[in-house]
Amino acid sequence: MPRKARLPSPKNALPSGRANNFFWNTLSIYIMTTVIKQDDLIQSIADAIQFISYYHPADYIQHLARAYEREQSAAAKDAIAQILTNSRMCAEGRRPICQDTGIVNVFLKVGMDVRFELSCTLQEACDEGVRRGYLDPDNKLRASVLADPIFDRKNTKDNTPCILHVELVPGNTVDVQVASKGGGSENKSKFAMLNPSDSIVDWVLKTVPLMGAGWCPPGMLGIGVGGTAEKAMLMAKQSLMEDIDMYELLARGPQNKLEELRIELYEKVNALGIGAQGLGGLTTVLDIKINTYPTHAASKPIAMIPNCAATRHVHFVLDGSGVANLTPPSLSDWPDVHWAPDYNASKQVNLDTLTKEEVASWKPGQTLLLNGKMLTGRDAAHKRIQDMLAKGEPLPVDFTNRVIYYVGPVDPVREEVVGPAGPTTATRMDKFTDMMLEKTGLIAMIGKAERGPVAIESIKNHRSAYLMAVGGSAYLVSKAIRGAKVVGFEDLGMEAIYEFDVKDMPVTVAVDSSGTSVHTTGPREWQAKIGIIPVPA
């Protein structure tokens, strides 16, 4: 709230003339100035980070529920059911929706009549909010930020720094948007400098399939067109902070050319048949947002950034009255969807007695329930294994006839054996796949989304298999983990090698021993069924 001014005492003579005008102008500014205290800003950001870690925005839940109702693909419907069930569990248990609790983006629109009472820089204040939010002992979040992106790549341990954007605007409040952006979706960001005559629709339809499913659809696409390269990227990111309203837009109809373009892109992207988790289905995107800005006559910059199934952002306003008050969604916003293992349709697998022959018998699209002990490992662990093998050094664990899960879990709290532990994008491990299958005795892998041609060829050559767990269901997956311990590379933190003891962990055979990938066959089948975009011969 505006700070109250102390008016001059009647005993004191007021200035006259030019000095009098200066006095009253200064007093007017002083009266209208809003003072934002340092701890109010810090605590508001910390609270926002905790809030978005376990609450989906209500608009996302409502649109995903509609997608679930209309979905005809059994595999996609099952994936959406897991995401919805996970979302409600997180809201009730106040634990992260996804194990990747993101890199924090803070957008501040600072009113010109605002004054900050800070003993540090604005960046440092926002970083302290991030630090408090991520280290909260009741819901400690995974630290994923590395201080040096090129060389040492050492974890900062508190997920700082955040990415801060500040805009000066008229007014006496601070408008704040806080978002946590996961690496899986951020890595699928795309940018192009189109020719002025090039079609935006054609570029989007060509580009979306190249993104694969590592961004965890169904989600949202943010598009920025115009300005310069960096402006287009910023607009695309900012558009993801907007409410999902495609259902309402379709109901009332478009009112301008931009809304017409949004609808056209929404319908045509979904007609690609990519579907939930890339398994093939009716819904790939829940909404598409487009922001524009004037640009050079020779240019048509375009950026596209996806938001994943762990859509996390919140908006609030600081007016000087204290810490922001965040209102959680009502549990009635969630549909009556409660995923549970289907013991009739799924095959139970004992990992402790698993053989190469059994792995080779699995069929594409088959659902499995895994039981027993598996190992984990992701980017940093695979790189270290590669270096150790090259030097002839012994590995800290024997991978013979074992299954590896690509995951970096959240630390446990209270009675948990492990925190949320959903899969990470498998394609980042593609270049290590042949090494692992050839030199370590590994017989199968679990991750998120599709595998690339190099990995598929190696899987085929070694008669191995790749299993897919649903991204966006990390807390649900963690409930299948009955034991967890670090068995190698403890210094890597969340990227260490764990041994998980699981019971009925749900996965789908995504690439079988013959090299057939459901991320190829599924979308192709559903693109043909939808029948809007011809399937290439």
Side-chain angles (χ1 to χ4, degrees), residues 448-502:
K448 181 181 76 174
E450 74 284 346
R451 302 307 298 263
V454 170
I456 291 175
E457 186 64 22
S458 181
I459 290 168
K460 180 180 177 181
N461 290 341
H462 292 280
R463 302 287 289 165
S464 178
Y466 164 64
L467 312 175
M468 188 211 80
V470 172
S473 62
Y475 195 37
L476 175 66
V477 170
S478 73
K479 297 305 180 184
I481 302 170
R482 304 304 171 90
K485 63 180 180 180
V486 175
V487 293
F489 307 155
E490 186 173 6
D491 61 297
L492 295 180
M494 63 94 175
E495 294 206 66
I497 297 176
Y498 287 76
E499 184 178 70
F500 285 170
D501 190 356
V502 301

Side-chain angles (χ1 to χ4, degrees), residues 7 15 24 53 94 109 180 190 227 230 233 245 262 266 312 314 357-358 371 414 469 495 505:
L7 296 176
W24 286 111
S53 76
R94 296 199 169 191
K109 291 184 178 179
S180 293
K190 300 296 180 183
E230 79 282 3
M233 292 298 289
D245 64 352
R262 283 179 59 199
Y266 167 80
R312 293 166 295 201
V314 69
E357 290 72 25
E358 184 177 357
N371 294 272
R414 298 180 288 278
E495 294 206 66
M505 176 178 166

Side-chain angles (χ1 to χ4, degrees), residues 80-157:
I80 296 174
Q82 289 192 45
I83 295 169
L84 285 169
T85 301
N86 180 78
S87 177
R88 187 185 186 101
M89 288 172 60
C90 293
E92 293 173 333
R94 296 199 169 191
R95 289 295 274 146
I97 296 166
C98 181
Q99 79 288 339
D100 182 353
T101 49
I103 184 169
V104 177
N105 293 248
V106 178
F107 298 90
L108 301 181
K109 291 184 178 179
V110 180
M112 288 185 282
D113 293 323
V114 166
R115 182 170 64 85
F116 287 99
E117 280 189 353
L118 300 176
S119 61
C120 58
T121 67
L122 198 54
Q123 176 74 53
E124 289 168 340
C126 292
D127 286 345
E128 179 57 30
V130 171
R131 186 175 293 109
R132 285 189 195 178
Y134 274 77
L135 299 182
D136 187 322
D138 289 331
N139 181 37
K140 191 174 181 182
L141 307 180
R142 197 185 81 180
S144 303
V145 173
L146 308 181
D148 179 356
I150 301 176
F151 302 109
D152 292 338
R153 293 184 67 84
K154 292 289 180 66
N155 198 301
T156 64
K157 306 294 186 182

Side-chain angles (χ1 to χ4, degrees), residues 86-392:
N86 180 78
S87 177
R88 187 185 186 101
M89 288 172 60
C90 293
E92 293 173 333
R94 296 199 169 191
R95 289 295 274 146
I97 296 166
C98 181
Q99 79 288 339
D100 182 353
T101 49
I103 184 169
V104 177
N105 293 248
V106 178
F107 298 90
L108 301 181
K109 291 184 178 179
V110 180
M112 288 185 282
D113 293 323
V114 166
R115 182 170 64 85
F116 287 99
E117 280 189 353
L118 300 176
S119 61
C120 58
T121 67
L122 198 54
Q123 176 74 53
E124 289 168 340
C126 292
D127 286 345
E128 179 57 30
V130 171
R131 186 175 293 109
R132 285 189 195 178
Y134 274 77
L135 299 182
D136 187 322
D138 289 331
N139 181 37
K140 191 174 181 182
L141 307 180
R142 197 185 81 180
S144 303
V145 173
L146 308 181
D148 179 356
I150 301 176
F151 302 109
D152 292 338
R153 293 184 67 84
K154 292 289 180 66
N155 198 301
T156 64
K157 306 294 186 182
D158 57 12
N159 222 57
T160 63
C162 66
I163 309 302
L164 175 63
H165 299 277
V166 183
E167 182 181 354
L168 199 60
V169 298
N172 62 351
T173 61
V174 179
D175 183 278
V176 185
Q177 294 268 11
V178 177
S180 293
K181 194 69 162 61
S185 60
E186 188 71 3
N187 289 351
K188 301 301 181 178
S189 302
K190 300 296 180 183
F191 173 80
M193 275 292 188
L194 300 182
N195 291 320
S197 61
D198 289 345
S199 165
I200 289 173
V201 173
D202 289 349
W203 180 80
V204 170
L205 294 181
K206 178 184 73 175
T207 303
V208 169
L210 301 178
M211 292 160 54
W215 61 280
C216 268
M220 176 179 172
L221 294 178
I223 297 174
V225 183
T228 52
E230 79 282 3
K231 180 66 175 179
M233 292 298 289
L234 180 58
M235 289 191 296
K237 178 63 69 67
Q238 288 176 315
S239 73
L240 297 176
M241 306 300 112
E242 299 173 18
D243 288 346
I244 297 174
D245 64 352
M246 182 54 70
Y247 180 80
E248 292 78 10
L249 175 56
L250 291 171
R252 68 167 168 80
Q255 296 178 348
N256 53 55
K257 290 182 178 180
L258 203 59
E259 290 185 344
E260 290 175 1
L261 180 58
R262 283 179 59 199
I263 291 174
E264 181 182 2
L265 286 171
Y266 167 80
E267 292 175 341
K268 289 183 175 179
V269 168
N270 282 328
L272 292 170
I274 295 168
Q277 302 293 298
L279 294 170
L282 297 178
T283 302
T284 303
V285 291
L286 301 174
D287 202 346
I288 292 181
K289 301 292 186 180
I290 306 172
N291 284 346
T292 66
Y293 197 81
T295 194
H296 192 283
S299 304
K300 196 174 186 178
I302 183 168
M304 181 164 62
I305 304 177
N307 235 2
C308 63
T311 293
R312 293 166 295 201
H313 60 89
V314 69
H315 169 253
F316 58 88
V317 176
L318 295 176
D319 60 7
S321 62
V323 176
N325 181 35
L326 305 175
T327 304
S330 169
L331 287 178
S332 63
D333 290 331
W334 276 265
D336 188 21
V337 176
H338 304 276
W339 183 91
D342 187 338
Y343 293 100
N344 294 320
S346 302
K347 175 183 174 63
Q348 289 193 295
V349 173
N350 185 346
L351 297 175
D352 299 331
T353 60
L354 188 62
T355 64
K356 290 183 178 180
E357 290 72 25
E358 184 177 357
V359 170
S361 72
W362 295 338
K363 303 301 180 185
Q366 185 178 12
T367 55
L368 310 176
L369 296 173
L370 305 182
N371 294 272
K373 293 180 173 62
M374 65 174 63
L375 297 170
T376 77
R378 42 177 287 162
D379 310 67
H382 279 76
K383 180 63 171 68
R384 188 172 291 184
I385 289 170
Q386 182 184 57
D387 293 343
M388 293 177 73
L389 290 174
K391 296 175 184 177

